[in-house]
Amino acid sequence: MLKGKKILVGITGSIAAYKTITLVRLLIKAGAEVKVVMTNAAKEFASPVVLSTLSKNKVTYDLVEGDDWSNHVMLGRWADVFVIAPLSCNTMAKMANGLCDNVLLAVYLSATCPVVIAPAMDEDMWHHPSTQRNLEQLVKDGNHLIKVGNGELASGLFGEGRMAEPEEICQYLIEHFFRSSELKGKKAIVTAGPTYEAIDPVRFIGNHSSGKMGFAIAEELYLRGADVVLITGPTHQKTNYNGIQVRAVVSGDQMYDIATREFNDADIAVMSAAVADYKPISAATDKIKKKLDEWEITLIKNKDILLQLGKDKKKGQFLVGFALETNNEKENALIKLQSKNADAIVLNSLNDKDAGFSIDTNAVTIFHSNGAEVTTGVKSKKEVATDIVSFIIKHLHA
Ligand code: CTP
């Protein structure tokens, strides 16, 4: 998403400037073109030599260097986005009042691109009325604010004022400025994670699904431009993309209710959740005491969400299921594809030690109902998600 994008990074005097070195590295790794402009105070915290080496561009920190006047207007015009991270209390106050006593401020005042600010300061400074007043002014002026985090601060105190992490800043830039338009106007629903089927108020039947694959697919659909509803069972996963509508559920029944409702006006549905196939016929209202030596629980089949969506499917809707097979993999996956009336089925290979539930890598084969087939090989779940979404886009209107 960041390939070829021009990103101007502004750095001001704050301890958090060390994190901006990582930010520059992440942006370059993602294919962006990066230039850095910094205040003189920032040079105490992050070396221009490191920054120019990483960004592969000369770092600007003086309005006049030797006999050369630095063309700040052109820097602000060159960039697709100008991100100031960290933004110190001092520079924030100057920006809010239109001061222009260094090159970073001159670039800010002449920038024609969107400006993103990621403040960093100690908690007491952060909460000071003048800081909050300046911040409000900057937001009113049209700047985009990346919220500060809560945690350990340079002073050793804990509280609000930490600059957002480099990964979050990267994701913010992608989400707000660089999502692709391939799926613009399309709605996608994704199920993810396990479901927990209650035995009593404290016990349940569940499985080891981490939700990683489903979250990665939801994020990829979102980055390609879709409006995404992510229906997830209990997992530790979280997404930093605020635009993804996350609906947290616990049981298969809850997932079924939301998925069938949301599918009505969806264009794409990807069922990657490991829904428990069976649930206790009834859940005890009180905790069951351990009186018996043996205990039998009667299980009944859970509602099959994919099967139901296959029945409800209207023309133009694209339905994707997952299959986990241990024998006759292809044959069983194709039976599942047909019996559930899906348009595509993603076969997880259990025979590969680098593919599976809790790890970060996976390997899949995607089968289309028209006979098309793609195998990914072992990749990160994020890369597998990219392949799955590319497959969906390719076949959506074929
Ligand atoms: N699925 C679902 N609702 C269920 C069960 C499964 O939506 N109650 C979906 C899964 O999200 C996945 C696909 O169906 O997309 C998996 O199909 P399923 O028949 O459940 O596969 P297995 O659990 O492997 O079943 P089997 O034991 O019959 O192979």
Side-chain angles (χ1 to χ4, degrees):
M1 302 280 145
L2 289 176
K3 209 168 170 18
K5 303 297 178 202
K6 297 187 177 81
I7 299 178
L8 180 61
V9 177
I11 311 178
T12 71
S14 157
I15 292 286
Y18 79 91
K19 293 204 238 176
T20 313
I21 293 172
T22 308
L23 172 64
V24 169
R25 207 168 154 260
L26 287 176
L27 294 170
I28 291 286
K29 258 176 81 177
E33 270 186 68
V34 178
K35 289 188 181 177
V36 176
V37 57
M38 61 203 300
T39 61
N40 273 308
K43 290 195 296 186
E44 299 287 335
F45 301 95
S47 147
V49 177
V50 173
L51 289 160
S52 66
T53 308
L54 290 178
S55 68
K56 304 183 177 81
N57 273 310
K58 189 173 167 301
V59 173
T60 306
Y61 45 81
D62 277 327
L63 259 175
V64 179
E65 290 173 43
D67 293 337
D68 286 338
W69 171 72
S70 179
N71 194 335
H72 56 85
V73 177
M74 281 309 147
L75 263 186
R77 287 189 172 228
W78 167 84
D80 293 318
V81 60
F82 180 23
V83 54
I84 307 178
L87 173 61
S88 67
C89 200
N90 184 39
T91 301
M92 181 190 285
K94 290 180 181 178
M95 283 167 64
N97 290 285
L99 266 67
C100 188
D101 65 357
N102 63 44
V103 67
L104 185 143
L105 290 165
V107 172
Y108 167 66
L109 288 169
S110 52
T112 50
C113 61
V115 178
V116 177
I117 52 174
M121 64 199 74
D122 237 72
E123 190 177 28
D124 297 334
M125 291 166 88
W126 175 249
H127 286 299
H128 195 280
S130 63
T131 306
Q132 291 304 314
R133 196 171 57 236
N134 290 333
L135 191 64
E136 203 179 305
Q137 184 60 51
L138 287 183
V139 172
K140 227 185 259 170
D141 290 346
N143 298 290
H144 302 257
L145 169 68
I146 304 185
K147 291 202 179 87
V148 295
N150 210 317
E152 189 173 6
L153 301 162
S155 59
L157 298 171
F158 282 79
E160 274 193 337
R162 276 177 69 88
M163 184 178 89
E165 296 306 315
E167 292 77 10
E168 285 171 51
I169 297 176
C170 249
Q171 284 176 333
Y172 184 97
L173 297 180
I174 293 170
E175 170 161 21
H176 289 85
F177 307 106
F178 304 120
R179 278 169 71 201
S180 102
S181 56
E182 290 157 284
L183 292 173
K184 201 170 167 65
K186 304 270 180 231
K187 173 179 169 182
I189 68 169
V190 178
T191 63
T195 62
Y196 288 177
E197 310 300 334
I199 297 171
D200 67 16
V202 294
R203 304 182 181 92
F204 60 83
I205 294 173
N207 59 65
H208 291 299
S209 168
S210 64
K212 279 181 186 162
M213 198 62 243
F215 271 68
I217 292 169
E219 291 188 342
E220 186 62 24
L221 285 162
Y222 180 66
L223 293 180
R224 304 284 193 103
D227 297 325
V228 177
V229 179
L230 170 60
I231 309 157
T232 175
T235 76
H236 294 298
Q237 303 301 313
K238 65 179 190 71
T239 177
N240 284 324
Y241 297 115
N242 292 323
I244 295 181
Q245 233 193 90
V246 180
R247 310 285 301 272
V249 299
V250 177
S251 67
D253 282 342
Q254 291 168 348
M255 191 174 270
Y256 176 93
D257 287 344
I258 299 181
T260 46
R261 214 175 318 129
E262 291 289 347
F263 187 56
N264 258 325
D265 60 348
D267 300 284
I268 300 162
V270 183
M271 301 291 99
S272 66
V275 185
D277 286 328
Y278 291 89
K279 64 176 180 182
I281 191 159
S282 63
T285 42
D286 296 318
K287 186 182 167 214
I288 298 167
K289 301 296 280 179
K290 55 172 186 309
K291 287 188 195 133
L292 305 169
D293 286 339
E294 283 183 23
W295 175 24
E296 281 180 15
I297 303 173
T298 306
L299 302 178
I300 55 163
K301 252 192 183 165
N302 237 341
K303 291 176 191 162
D304 191 322
I305 306 167
L306 177 60
L307 185 71
Q308 188 58 48
L309 299 196
K311 286 180 186 158
D312 296 345
K313 196 172 67 173
K314 297 184 285 262
K315 200 167 175 289
Q317 288 184 308
F318 196 88
L319 179 60
V320 183
F322 270 70
L324 187 70
E325 308 292 341
T326 48
N327 58 314
N328 298 333
E329 294 180 310
K330 180 170 177 178
E331 196 186 325
N332 284 331
L334 290 178
I335 291 171
K336 216 162 269 179
L337 172 71
Q338 207 180 18
S339 65
K340 302 212 187 190
N341 193 28
D343 298 288
I345 198 112
V346 181
L347 171 67
N348 273 300
S349 167
L350 255 197
N351 297 327
D352 205 311
K353 70 173 177 43
D354 295 318
F357 263 172
S358 297
I359 55 177
D360 285 330
T361 49
N362 205 1
V364 304
T365 304
I366 316 166
F367 300 98
H368 192 282
S369 54
N370 70 6
E373 171 180 336
V374 166
T375 298
T376 65
V378 176
K379 288 177 170 183
S380 73
K381 286 189 173 164
K382 204 169 153 9
E383 288 168 321
V384 172
T386 305
D387 289 353
I388 292 171
V389 174
S390 296
F391 187 91
I392 294 172
I393 292 173
K394 183 172 168 197
H395 293 282
L396 195 54
H397 293 305

